[in-house]
Amino acid sequence: MKWSEKAWQSIEPIYQKTLDLPFIQELINGTLDRQKFLFYLEQDSLYLADYGKVLTGIATKLNDPAHIRAFIDFAGETMTVENALHESFFTEFGVTGKSEPSASCLLYTSFLLRHLADAPVEVMAAAVLPCFWIYKEVGDYIIANQTKKENPYRAWIDTYGGEEYEQSVQKAISICDELADACTDEQQKAMTEAFITCSKLEWMFWDSAYNLEQWKI
């Protein structure tokens, strides 16, 4: 069994809980409160600014030219496609100005940046994989179950359910498997632990958006 297959099995309960989140269920039927969706987009913009840096940083630590090019492309695609999508919604809904990162957003980006500084490259690749993979799976789930009526969030949904995005996800999974093949069992365990932690952080990110998370003090 490939590392990725075992890793996904380890987060299956987390993934199922993600699908059950009110944010996801209301996104499916188009009833998600606009303020909650915009809160999510604002936080996602902040997250992606650091995520792009992490993807580029991983590229500098890889040895295989094909892997290096893939992560550079990931960084460019992520920032170009998602930021354009965010801006279209911000313009449509009249959002101006920049927000501060929520506690969950800051926790997630801090985890990734800390690992970029001191973790082995295979662990870093595993840490960024949930953002690719879970989004793709959630996107497919939403497309398969979404309301037949007009959904104001269809543009966001289509972005994560498209063929081009699927190709990027499969490439990221493949790279992680290749890196894992050259690792010891202990190194693979570290990869899986990072994958699990970031899968939990994905859950927290959506949950925090639904609850319009604010700092307590």
Side-chain angles (χ1 to χ4, degrees):
M1 184 181 290
K2 295 179 180 179
W3 171 84
S4 61
E5 294 171 336
K6 292 184 287 187
W8 186 264
Q9 284 184 355
S10 70
I11 64 127
E12 190 66 42
I14 301 169
Y15 172 65
Q16 291 302 321
K17 288 182 181 297
T18 299
L19 296 183
D20 292 338
L21 283 168
F23 188 98
I24 300 301
Q25 292 301 315
E26 293 178 17
L27 195 64
I28 287 173
N29 58 37
T31 62
L32 181 65
D33 181 79
R34 178 181 293 188
Q35 185 180 3
K36 294 178 179 180
F37 185 70
L38 290 177
F39 183 95
Y40 159 79
L41 288 182
E42 289 170 344
Q43 293 303 311
D44 201 36
S45 291
L46 295 169
Y47 167 84
L48 287 173
D50 283 333
Y51 188 68
K53 295 174 186 176
V54 171
L55 292 175
T56 302
I58 292 173
T60 67
K61 296 186 175 187
L62 291 163
N63 296 317
D64 187 319
H67 293 175
I68 294 171
R69 170 51 55 188
F71 268 85
I72 291 174
D73 289 344
F74 291 158
E77 291 167 4
T78 296
M79 301 310 295
T80 300
V81 175
E82 297 201 35
N83 280 344
L85 182 64
H86 290 169
E87 288 303 319
S88 69
F89 274 106
F90 290 157
T91 299
E92 179 182 350
F93 295 152
V95 177
T96 58
K98 287 290 185 179
S99 59
E100 293 297 320
S102 66
S104 293
C105 178
L106 186 59
L107 176 63
Y108 199 170
T109 56
S110 296
F111 180 87
L112 292 176
L113 290 167
R114 179 174 66 83
H115 274 58
L116 180 63
D118 56 26
V121 68
E122 68 273 5
V123 174
M124 272 311 309
V128 298
L129 187 57
C131 186
F132 281 97
W133 200 352
I134 291 178
Y135 264 74
K136 172 57 182 170
E137 295 298 326
V138 168
D140 287 345
Y141 174 81
I142 293 174
I143 287 174
N145 294 279
Q146 68 178 316
T147 178
K148 302 302 181 183
K149 301 176 182 179
E150 183 61 30
N151 190 330
Y153 308 118
R154 188 177 299 279
W156 183 92
I157 294 168
D158 290 344
T159 298
Y160 293 101
E163 183 178 341
E164 186 174 348
Y165 186 67
E166 181 176 4
Q167 292 175 354
S168 294
V169 173
Q170 291 304 319
K171 183 62 176 178
I173 293 171
S174 176
I175 290 174
C176 283
D177 279 332
E178 290 181 40
L179 293 172
D181 285 343
C183 289
T184 64
D185 289 345
E186 196 64 26
Q187 289 170 323
Q188 287 195 18
K189 180 181 178 182
M191 290 177 66
T192 302
E193 289 174 349
F195 183 77
I196 292 172
T197 297
C198 287
S199 297
K200 293 177 180 178
L201 288 166
E202 286 289 325
W203 182 95
M204 289 178 63
F205 197 89
W206 272 311
D207 185 62
S208 66
Y210 189 80
N211 293 304
L212 301 175
E213 182 182 54
Q214 302 294 320
W215 290 89
K216 300 299 184 182
I217 57 175

